[in-house]
Amino acid sequence: MTDIGDEERMRRKQAIDQARASVRLSGTILPPEIERLNQRYIAGELSSAEHVQMGLALADALGSSRRS
């Protein structure tokens, strides 16, 4: 894991908080699996590209399992 520094960590946290607030306004609460992924991104374990890629895959998998 690469240390991204406090400034980048804060920028990532603010971006995630804003996105979370946006989806909550539409009546959606993010599932725990997505929140765990978000925390890994904030901590610097994932790049932005990895976060998006893994988030889309996870959302697709969660959507499929909930439709079954």
Side-chain angles (χ1 to χ4, degrees):
M1 177 171 78
T2 304
D3 186 8
I4 59 172
D6 292 339
E7 189 174 315
E8 175 65 10
R9 198 172 350 277
M10 182 57 71
R11 187 192 67 74
R12 290 178 179 208
K13 182 180 181 320
Q14 289 172 341
I16 293 298
D17 288 346
Q18 186 175 15
R20 184 183 300 111
S22 179
V23 297
R24 282 190 179 160
L25 286 174
S26 70
T28 302
I29 295 177
L30 296 174
E33 298 89 348
I34 297 290
E35 290 291 3
R36 281 191 293 275
L37 189 65
N38 289 341
Q39 290 306 311
R40 290 183 61 204
Y41 171 66
I42 292 167
E45 295 175 23
L46 303 172
S47 69
S48 294
E50 291 169 324
H51 181 243
V52 170
Q53 181 182 22
M54 293 174 76
L56 290 172
L58 185 55
D60 186 49
L62 290 171
S64 294
S65 69
R66 291 189 173 137
R67 287 190 294 266
S68 298

